[in-house]
Amino acid sequence: MLDLTLPETAFMNTVLREAAQLAVAIQAESAASAMLKEDSTPVTVADFAIQAVVACRLRAAFPDTVLVAEERAATLRAAGQEEMLHRIAAFVARVIPGATGAAVCDWIDEGMGEPGDRFWTLDPIDGTKGYRRGGHYATALALIENGTVRCGGMACPVMAADCAADKMGGGILALATRNGGAGYTPLNATDTGFLPLSVSACTEPARARLMRSYESGHTNVEELETVAAHLGIPPDQCVRMDSQAKYACMAAGRAELLFRLLSPAQPDYRECIWDQAAGALIIEAAGGKVTDLRGHPLDFSQGRKLTNNTGVFASNGPLHEAGLRALEHTLKP
Ligand code: AMP
Ligand code: MG
């Protein structure tokens, strides 16, 4: 059973709700305008504001903590970014009264911690492209100890209350601990409590619902089609969705297979830990299986990236072997 009284789960339960509210408010009020980072990926007011709030809360709740998070404040501190920083600080000040631009930058840079024996990892807005497009996105937070994800949580602010992949709704919050199971609650429910998350029992590859990134540039569409064909999965059972929200869908039994194949434009891409830690644990704690594309366990002991892994393959469990065989048949050695 998921224990919500543990300090870590109680913390995630509170801070991820705060993150979801901020993301929704910023999207409604500021059209989620973005600037580009050095790697040409977008970052919005919400990415910065949420990282600042979670870092500040984390420091207050667990003073010795180390945080490894996606964003950094260097660009905000640069000349010409005063207006952007002012907007971020105004949103942060709604939940942390008196927050200044300088304090916000310092909180964001708490995320530059060194991944060691015990640290938290945060993606303030996973699926920034989805967030800007009106698609799915998530705030993902996880605690990693000695290379193992101990607990993880994810707010998916636009997911339907039943985690169905084909519609959107008022959002859900999913939490998991290693050996303690996974649960979720609709974000706008006051009396539902946490419901158990449990993967699908499907054992027939051809009936599997397959999830992939919405962004074609984050995967290999041609190889995905070959994998699906090899498994006998028709195109209408392939679902596109942004962010780790996919992992919540799968944990809730709404999909059976999830592939992160390597884009032909970036064959050496390695996953960032904050893009996988919370989602992978939630799937595993719901009874599913997560490996890389060769069947190796994800190795969270290598710093900010999963340098020992290529891509990610998650399944409900019974279909994992079939999925790996389809990958072996499709991917070049
Ligand atoms: P998704 O919406 O599932 O594709 O996941 C979004 C995440 O994909 C973002 O947080 C990015 O960090 C990550 N991403 C960015 N570029 C790539 C890429 N070339 N291949 C795979 N993932 C990427
Ligand atoms: Mg991300």
Side-chain angles (χ1 to χ4, degrees):
M1 273 293 285
L2 181 65
D3 184 354
L4 293 167
T5 65
L6 296 171
E8 290 82 7
T9 44
F11 174 76
M12 290 192 294
N13 192 11
T14 308
V15 82
L16 289 172
R17 288 172 195 272
E18 207 165 40
Q21 280 170 6
L22 260 178
V24 169
I26 293 171
Q27 194 176 46
E29 293 174 43
S30 80
S33 61
M35 57 200 264
L36 290 183
K37 292 191 275 192
E38 274 170 15
D39 63 359
S40 298
T41 59
V43 59
T44 69
V45 168
D47 297 68
F48 289 122
I50 291 172
Q51 182 161 322
V53 169
V54 175
C56 173
R57 301 293 193 216
L58 202 51
R59 177 67 57 215
F62 308 107
D64 297 333
T65 209
V66 173
L67 177 63
V68 178
E70 179 166 13
E71 310 306 340
R72 51 191 56 197
T75 42
L76 291 177
R77 295 183 202 267
Q81 293 302 328
E82 294 80 5
E83 198 204 318
M84 176 90 168
L85 182 56
H86 182 75
R87 284 164 60 202
I88 295 163
F91 279 109
V92 173
R94 291 190 190 180
V95 291
I96 304 175
T100 61
V104 162
C105 287
D106 290 345
W107 290 327
I108 291 169
D109 280 344
E110 294 248 346
M112 290 164 70
E114 274 302 310
D117 293 346
R118 189 176 196 276
F119 62 94
W120 290 84
T121 188
L122 168 73
D123 193 340
I125 297 279
D126 181 34
T128 304
K129 291 174 185 165
Y131 180 65
R132 299 187 64 211
R133 209 195 306 108
H136 283 275
Y137 62 95
T139 296
L141 182 62
L143 175 65
I144 296 178
E145 273 177 355
N146 302 317
T148 300
V149 188
R150 282 281 146 219
C151 54
M154 206 157 60
C156 306
V158 294
M159 181 155 281
D162 59 1
C163 300
D166 59 353
K167 55 188 187 207
M168 297 175 96
I172 63 109
L173 169 63
L175 297 176
T177 59
R178 177 122 351 239
N179 309 324
Y184 85 104
T185 186
L187 274 172
N188 55 13
T190 47
D191 54 0
T192 313
F194 275 72
L195 308 166
L197 280 168
S198 181
V199 292
S200 149
C202 175
T203 56
E204 281 178 63
R207 295 177 71 93
R209 292 158 293 183
L210 183 160
M211 304 198 92
R212 56 162 275 205
S213 295
Y214 187 96
E215 294 289 331
S216 297
H218 291 183
T219 189
N220 185 319
V221 178
E222 205 177 306
E223 285 180 349
L224 255 176
E225 283 168 2
T226 309
V227 168
H230 192 74
L231 290 164
I233 300 173
D236 65 353
Q237 280 166 225
C238 296
V239 184
R240 287 169 67 173
M241 187 186 282
D242 295 285
S243 85
Q244 281 169 84
K246 289 188 280 296
Y247 296 59
C249 255
M250 174 174 275
R254 297 289 184 168
E256 285 77 20
L257 300 170
L258 188 165
F259 295 97
R260 294 188 71 77
L261 301 180
L262 299 177
S263 156
Q266 280 176 277
D268 297 325
Y269 186 83
R270 290 294 177 271
E271 301 287 341
C272 298
I273 54 172
W274 50 80
D275 283 333
Q276 305 303 326
L281 177 64
I282 288 167
I283 289 181
E284 287 173 345
K289 191 164 169 70
V290 185
T291 65
D292 69 9
L293 300 173
R294 309 279 177 198
H296 302 304
L298 301 188
D299 178 357
F300 287 94
S301 70
Q302 297 298 302
R304 294 171 75 91
K305 293 197 173 202
L306 300 178
T307 47
N308 283 345
N309 298 110
T310 46
V312 176
F313 167 44
S315 78
N316 64 334
L319 294 177
H320 212 78
E321 276 309 313
L324 286 176
R325 280 198 301 274
L327 286 167
E328 207 172 32
H329 170 266
T330 306
L331 304 182
K332 293 175 196 81

